[in-house]
Amino acid sequence: MEELHLLPGERLDNINENLRLIQKTDGLTFGTDAYLLAAFLRTVSQTEAAELGGGTGVLSLLALSRQKASRTVVWEIQPEFADLCRRNAALNGLAHRMDVVCGDVREIRGEQKLDLVYANPPYMKGSCGKENTVSAMNIARREVHGSIADFCGAADRLLKHGGTFSLVYRPDRFADLVCALRENHMEVKRVVFVYPSLANRPCLVLAEAKKGAASGMVLAPPLCIYTDAGKKTYTPEMDRIYETCSMEFLFPGTERNRK
């Protein structure tokens, strides 16, 4: 593993017993949505993958360390975060399995050969809500450098027929997501709506789409993060997800193994 060297405005966090993560104190940090998406990805033996919008690189680090992908290419448009992805990969001994490209997802011209593409894309439209004073946060949260249709288009160009695109998104824009996927030759196959608690509306939606597939979707039971509205105790399901980094138990009878 690479020797640790923190730059001004950075900190080091332990993600789990195996991964450490350099994060910017005033930038995008590791959150529940990234971990849930990592758990949502299927565990497979050999998968060539790509991530659209890497941030710190934590999602790909989890995917690689948890056998969700054998190799991955991370696309990140912000140079400082592309560099951070490379440093985090080296820090965790995964640089040989994770390539980083500093580029715009709208400019991706793929060879349609990948098994898996995954993304934690910007949730908000460019003109939606109050802008963040930190430019990096605006780019991560708002469609400044690509809409959901652009991210789906990039996935379509990268995936082979039968490949999957998995992502985490906002429930109130689920219709936009489904339409964008269908316009780019993908059909939603698995969905999980995530709730803070049963007293709240859903806060996230996890979706897996398959390129070239017929319509037909499996909807998992609602996933609640906390047992109470006070958000003090995780549900048994969340404890299991944090322990295993897997959601396969939410889809009994639908498991598949790919080589």
Side-chain angles (χ1 to χ4, degrees), residues 41-231:
L41 299 178
R42 300 176 189 263
T43 302
V44 293
S45 56
Q46 294 293 324
T47 296
E48 295 289 328
E51 180 181 5
L52 306 179
T56 61
V58 65
L59 179 52
S60 284
L61 295 177
L62 285 166
L64 292 170
S65 67
R66 292 289 189 165
Q67 289 72 55
K68 308 299 181 92
S70 53
R71 288 190 59 84
T72 194
V73 178
V74 177
W75 287 78
E76 171 53 51
I77 195 170
Q78 301 185 76
E80 65 271 27
F81 279 95
D83 180 64
L84 192 56
C85 286
R86 296 187 187 99
R87 292 168 59 208
N88 277 322
L91 177 66
N92 289 282
L94 292 169
H96 63 295
R97 296 171 58 197
M98 179 172 147
D99 297 320
V100 181
V101 177
C102 185
D104 192 323
V105 299
R106 294 170 293 186
E107 298 176 357
I108 291 176
R109 296 294 178 265
E111 300 178 12
Q112 299 184 347
K113 65 178 183 179
L114 296 184
D115 305 295
L116 170 68
V117 175
Y118 49 91
N120 183 358
Y123 298 158
M124 303 170 66
K125 294 182 179 180
S127 59
C128 179
K130 183 179 179 181
E131 289 193 5
N132 195 285
T133 56
V134 179
S135 176
M137 298 293 286
N138 275 326
I139 292 172
R141 292 175 174 172
R142 292 179 171 79
E143 295 176 333
V144 177
H145 294 291
S147 66
I148 188 59
D150 292 318
F151 276 76
C152 291
D156 178 39
R157 295 191 295 274
L158 288 169
L159 287 170
K160 66 184 182 183
H161 184 84
T164 56
F165 181 32
S166 296
L167 67 165
V168 56
Y169 208 55
R170 274 175 48 155
D172 61 336
R173 298 196 65 195
F174 184 60
D176 294 338
L177 172 60
V178 172
C179 290
L181 288 166
R182 181 165 286 178
E183 289 170 1
N184 287 283
H185 317 110
M186 291 174 279
E187 286 289 337
V188 179
K189 306 306 292 182
R190 299 195 309 164
V191 174
V192 180
F193 282 95
V194 182
Y195 297 72
S197 74
L198 284 177
N200 304 108
R201 295 178 179 178
C203 57
L204 297 170
V205 60
L206 299 155
E208 176 192 87
K210 186 175 181 179
K211 183 173 179 178
S215 61
M217 178 177 65
V218 177
L219 183 63
L223 174 61
C224 292
I225 299 175
Y226 299 100
T227 60
D228 57 319
K231 302 179 181 179

Side-chain angles (χ1 to χ4, degrees), residues 2-7 9-15 19-25 84 87-88 91-92:
E2 186 177 88
E3 182 180 352
L4 177 64
H5 176 63
L6 294 178
L7 301 176
E10 293 182 343
R11 73 171 194 255
L12 181 68
D13 294 302
N14 292 321
I15 299 303
L19 294 177
R20 296 186 296 169
L21 189 70
I22 302 170
Q23 304 192 86
K24 295 183 180 296
T25 56
L84 192 56
R87 292 168 59 208
N88 277 322
L91 177 66
N92 289 282

Side-chain angles (χ1 to χ4, degrees), residues 229-241:
K231 302 179 181 179
K232 295 181 179 179
T233 306
Y234 285 130
T235 62
E237 291 79 12
M238 278 301 297
D239 282 334
R240 184 172 178 179
I241 289 168

